[in-house]
């Protein structure tokens, strides 16, 4: 079956001499892995740069029920990103978020239009963000929770489920701002507080979604610090 969908690239790995396997969250079919043939060939007319993390693509998919891996037969940019892949801080945040988001999407094997719309609009906003970039990953992970069915928008529940009985007034206020304010809002935090907020969020997802600790966490911290 030939099908069309928009998709968000999360990662890829080399496959064979000239192909890749891309992990993509699609609007119509949810999260999945797809073979992209010959994209690494010197004769390919399409650049492998289309498959950088968080790239937004228009896809033509070749789907077959008997295959474990489906195939992307055609692709083009849906919305060009101008800054995410050229800025060291943004690219580090992107690498971290695509790793965590991939883990959270493991159960999203069918369409989730609200989640897809949130993710796509968030990526577009992040690309254009000029300030408070260091808070984006915190806000994204907090705001995406309800779209995945996790009650991470309840601050008391967020803290208690990670072993902390109650947040301090400062922690509560900071987490409330991160949840409610738009991306790019001035939310002043020390490096210690930012790391603490991230640990609470990650512990929540590790407890409720059973995800493993992200390998890119230390790289992110070294860049942001």
């Amino acid at each position: 079956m030939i099908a069309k969908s928009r998709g968000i690239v999360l990662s890829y790995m080399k496959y064979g001499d000239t192909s890749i396997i891309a992990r993509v969250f699609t609007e119509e079919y949810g999260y999945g892995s797809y073979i992209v043939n010959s994209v690494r060939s010197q004769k390919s007319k399409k650049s492998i740069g289309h498959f950088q993390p968080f790239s937004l693509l228009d896809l033509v998919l070749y789907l077959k029920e008997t295959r474990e891996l489906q195939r992307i037969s055609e692709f083009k940019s849906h919305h060009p990103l101008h800054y995410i892949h050229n800025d060291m801080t943004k690219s580090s945040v992107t690498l971290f978020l695509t790793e965590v988001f991939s883990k959270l999407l493991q159960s999203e094997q069918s369409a989730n239009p609200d989640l897809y719309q949130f993710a796509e609009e968030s990526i577009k906003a992040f690309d254009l963000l000029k300030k408070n970039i260091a808070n984006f990953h915190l806000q994204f992970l907090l705001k995406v929770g309800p779209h995945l069915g996790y009650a991470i928008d309840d601050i008391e529940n967020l803290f208690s489920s990670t072993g902390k009985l109650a947040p301090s007034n400062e922690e509560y206020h900071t987490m409330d701002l991160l949840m409610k304010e738009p991306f790019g809002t001035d939310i002043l935090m020390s490096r210690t507080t930012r790391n603490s907020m991230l640990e609470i969020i990650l512990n929540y997802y590790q407890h409720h979604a059973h995800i493993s600790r992200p390998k890119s966490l230390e790289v992110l911290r070294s860049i942001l610090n």
Side-chain angles (χ1 to χ4, degrees), residues 36-65:
V36 189
N37 293 123
S38 303
V39 72
R40 291 167 47 229
S41 168
Q42 291 183 350
K43 297 180 180 179
S44 175
K45 296 180 180 179
K46 293 287 186 72
S47 169
I48 197 172
H50 283 85
F51 290 90
Q52 294 184 82
F54 272 172
S55 291
L56 305 174
L57 303 179
D58 287 321
L59 303 167
V60 177
L61 309 173
Y62 181 61
L63 307 175
K64 196 172 183 179
E65 290 185 5

Side-chain angles (χ1 to χ4, degrees), residues 25-94:
F25 179 44
T26 67
E27 183 178 26
E28 300 295 332
Y29 300 96
Y31 175 79
S33 296
Y34 298 85
I35 295 174
V36 189
N37 293 123
S38 303
V39 72
R40 291 167 47 229
S41 168
Q42 291 183 350
K43 297 180 180 179
S44 175
K45 296 180 180 179
K46 293 287 186 72
S47 169
I48 197 172
H50 283 85
F51 290 90
Q52 294 184 82
F54 272 172
S55 291
L56 305 174
L57 303 179
D58 287 321
L59 303 167
V60 177
L61 309 173
Y62 181 61
L63 307 175
K64 196 172 183 179
E65 290 185 5
T66 56
R67 286 183 177 174
E68 185 174 336
L69 279 174
Q70 306 301 332
R71 184 161 61 89
I72 294 174
S73 59
E74 296 179 33
F75 58 89
K76 64 179 181 179
S77 177
H78 170 71
H79 180 92
L81 301 175
H82 301 288
Y83 304 104
I84 283 179
H85 302 130
N86 299 315
D87 180 281
M88 182 177 292
T89 302
K90 286 189 176 183
S91 62
S92 298
V93 171
T94 296

Side-chain angles (χ1 to χ4, degrees), residues 135-155:
N135 293 338
F136 178 81
H137 61 298
L138 300 175
Q139 290 190 277
F140 181 91
L141 291 176
L142 288 167
K143 293 175 184 292
V144 77
H147 297 283
L148 288 160
Y150 298 106
I152 200 167
D153 51 341
D154 184 319
I155 298 176

Side-chain angles (χ1 to χ4, degrees), residues 132-206:
N132 297 308
I133 294 168
N135 293 338
F136 178 81
H137 61 298
L138 300 175
Q139 290 190 277
F140 181 91
L141 291 176
L142 288 167
K143 293 175 184 292
V144 77
H147 297 283
L148 288 160
Y150 298 106
I152 200 167
D153 51 341
D154 184 319
I155 298 176
E156 299 290 348
N157 182 48
L158 174 62
F159 276 81
S160 64
S161 67
T162 61
K164 292 196 69 170
L165 294 178
S168 67
N169 289 337
E170 180 187 358
E171 288 174 328
Y172 190 101
H173 178 67
T174 301
M175 197 68 82
D176 187 53
L177 289 175
L178 288 169
M179 287 179 176
K180 294 179 179 179
E181 294 298 325
F183 297 125
T185 299
D186 286 318
I187 303 173
L188 298 180
M189 274 183 284
S190 67
R191 178 176 62 187
T192 301
T193 300
R194 183 176 292 108
N195 287 339
S196 175
M197 295 293 101
L198 181 55
E199 281 296 325
I200 290 166
I201 296 166
L202 288 177
N203 286 342
Y204 177 92
Y205 280 126
Q206 285 179 274

